[in-house]
Amino acid sequence: AEDSGASWVTVHARTRSDFYRTDAQWEWIGQVKTAVGIPVVGNGDVRSARDVVRLMQSTGCDAAMIGRAAMGYPFIFREVEHLLTSGSECAPPTPQERLDAAATQLRWSVEQWSEERAVREFRKHLLAYVRGLPRATLFKVDAMKLERAADVIQALSDYLLSLPDQPFPRPEQQSD
């Protein structure tokens, strides 16, 4: 790819047949970085800002790509930026910040598709927005039955605003 003019390459450190059953093989990223003269972006098992730092330090890659960890947790990007620029972690999002982000995402989805499709597609994201929060399992059972965007936003608002207005641990620090 480099000989053909590629200006950078991304390495996903897992095979398709591995799916997500195995850990990403970060050493592959390091091998590619050693073999080429262009920037290398590493991907695979990047779930937190700390993972970005570990990936870059252990492989020498120039950047990290974040995939599934951003689903329902777009705050990971500000956490990465903060850690890389300041050397310290920033506070995780408050329940209100989670609500605002989820509501914005759902509104954008409704603008893109029909309300029915947007709500149906948003369900997997909705689950991710509340992952690890107190009483999330009960909320999920009821929320998965909702069909209107306004009802989803109201249910999410009622749930999140019933929680203490404090940051909760990041998803990678919790179990479902």
Side-chain angles (χ1 to χ4, degrees), residues 12-28 43-45 47 68:
H12 184 66
R14 185 182 283 116
T15 67
R16 182 172 185 224
S17 62
D18 286 339
F19 197 57
Y20 297 109
R21 291 184 296 267
T22 64
D23 291 337
Q25 304 296 313
W26 285 2
E27 61 271 10
W28 297 349
N43 178 255
D45 291 340
R47 298 182 186 103
R68 291 177 303 143

Side-chain angles (χ1 to χ4, degrees), residues 28-41:
W28 297 349
I29 298 166
Q31 291 168 356
V32 171
K33 179 61 183 170
T34 301
V36 301
I38 57 177
V40 173
V41 179

